[in-house]
Amino acid sequence: MAGRAPGAPGDPPAADLPAVAHRVREHIVGMCAGPEGGHLGGSMSLVEILTVLYFAVMRIDPRRPAAPDRDILVLSKGHGAICLYAVLAERGFFPVAELAGYARPGGRLMGHPVRAVPGVEMPTGSLGHGLALTNGFALARRDRRCFTVLGDGELQEGSVWEAAMASAALGLGNLTAVVDRNALQITGPTEDAIGLEPLADRWRAFGWTVREVDGHDLGALHRALTQAETDGAPEAGRAGRERPVVVIARTVKGRGLPSVEGKVRGHYARLSERQAERSLAVLRARRRRAAP
Amino acid sequence: MTDARDGAGTAAPPSAREAYRDLLPALMRADDRLYCLDSDTGLFDRAAFAGVPDRYLNLGIAEHNLMGTAAGLAASGKIPFVTTMATFATTRALEAVKIDIAYPALPVRIVATHGGLAAGHLGPTHHALEDLAIMRMLPGFTVVVPGDARQAGEAVRQSVGLPGPVYIRLGRSATPDLDARAAGTGPSAGEPFEIGRAQWLRPPGDVALIAGGPHPVLAALRAADLLAAHGVRAAVLNLHTLRPLDADAVVAAAAGTAGVVTVEEHWRSGGLGGAVAETLAERAPARVARIGMPAAFAERVGGQDDLLGWYGITSGAIVAAALNLISGTPGGGTDDPDLSRV
């Protein structure tokens, strides 16, 4: 597993978000080269989203993962587990070396997030659960921020919209949802299955403030996840109620590996040693070009 | 048999769900971890939550969100009481109950109304005849079927201090007070209701009647009286908690008898009868005759008592089953309906 954690657990977050994101991608490749492979495409599309949240937005302390006033993140798209594990390890919740045990019998890093892993708030993997859970977290304490990251295909689950109605009706201004809009699901484009567009309008109609960003632009993500709440669009909100925010992050499935970028076949991958080496070389070459 | 109305209808109010409704706001005022999550049931009056209005939430007609929200609250140190009808709690919202609540072992209290056939004329969409089988299968859940309104209140009160998730199944209408019916007749009569500890309503005898839920327990008590007229002494055990199951009491009830008759307002598979049969098969094999709803959906309009009568959840059916056990008559082994009865 390449890369190293940014110092001891609890140290201030690394300022060099691109470097963190690069290491997370290397970890993802490493885990996909493990015994069971992994959800490569949807983990690669998620890297910048989780990196910004855990390293620059959320108030969290890896030494106190159960601190009552911590910010909360529920990874509703639980098949992004390997990205979450990599980001949590980089952030110091557990040793980076443990990532080598992903999907190996006897370990705790299961194919979908497990609560036994420090930093994982709730078990997810069956789609359509995260937003309702986050509603509960946000209700329990309104003095902390609660995030959930959804897949776009996941939005076909009706339970998402039950929960979305409730978030707005309850005035959960401390709740932010992020949609990893990579536009692909296992069988092909989301729009060829059960289409999601006009996605922003749908969320607005449910009473949410919508922000659309390039989901691989760390700065744009940071701004969207931290700017003041209402966006001057109170007309659709209920009087005296704060509106939840959804960030629609336009991403590329498999981002970072040209052989699978935007391609269905990268949804799940079991990489051979040679494929993994090639993938790491590609990632490093891109990284050198981006940050010489 | 004309004994469908085994004591129901003669009761004093309140019903178990009204007892719960009246108790919960007081519990919430005393403990700021408690929430009431309603799903537009119409059971609660917002005005009753004076002093704690922020912790009464009507989350609307959306049971998946209801359970998920409860889980998020519970993961944040709160103790949410979630109310919906039993069938919606355990079938519509089952995946959220399993993954969001049971898997992380969170202290959510699901208080489900309209258990069994309580919804009567509303029909099979509102009957819950599978809920106990489902809930006792989920790891970590405590599963309680109080026998009357007083026991419902006790179950709700005691549930606050339990570590994991809890399912409490309530009915709809008022039923008689079991303590008054059973006073002085069993080894533990007069003892307080305690989650996890079966309640003896008639002492060990020639045959054991093990029942759960108001109507089944009342039918068992009436059957015990009828059997006494035949010279048969019948134990009556109120097995109000299906998990953790009071296996010692079940074994003790069966010991030295001709067999055990189980009685429940539930499909015959997987509920109380199933739990008793599993326990006895493993610890102290005995014949078991299961009284419950056969594997069928109600086919015509009936109130709760009508349906209980038509489908044989009656004192008459219990007596017949007990006498068959005593005489060694073969039978049982199927959950399919005996259509001649319906």
Side-chain angles (χ1 to χ4, degrees), chain A residues 131-133 135 159 162-164 166, chain B residues 59 62-70:
Chain A
L131 187 51
L133 292 168
N135 282 344
S159 54
E162 277 188 18
Chain B
L59 295 180
E63 290 78 12
H64 184 115
N65 180 58
L66 177 75
M67 296 300 176
T69 300

Side-chain angles (χ1 to χ4, degrees), chain B residues 104-169:
Chain B
L106 292 171
V108 173
R109 281 80 184 93
I110 299 172
V111 183
T113 65
H114 297 69
L117 296 162
H121 75 282
L122 297 175
T125 56
H126 284 55
H127 297 159
L129 296 162
E130 67 289 340
D131 60 327
L132 301 175
I134 291 166
M135 297 310 294
R136 81 179 183 88
M137 189 169 59
L138 293 180
F141 253 95
T142 295
V143 180
V144 187
V145 189
D148 60 22
R150 190 204 313 257
Q151 294 189 358
E154 269 308 308
V156 167
R157 199 186 304 274
Q158 290 174 23
S159 75
V160 174
L162 294 175
V166 181
Y167 179 75
I168 299 174
R169 184 217 238 199

Side-chain angles (χ1 to χ4, degrees), chain B residues 6-12 147-149 174-181 214 218:
Chain B
D6 279 311
T10 60
D148 60 22
T175 56
D177 186 284
L178 284 187
D179 284 359
R181 278 298 178 97
L218 291 164

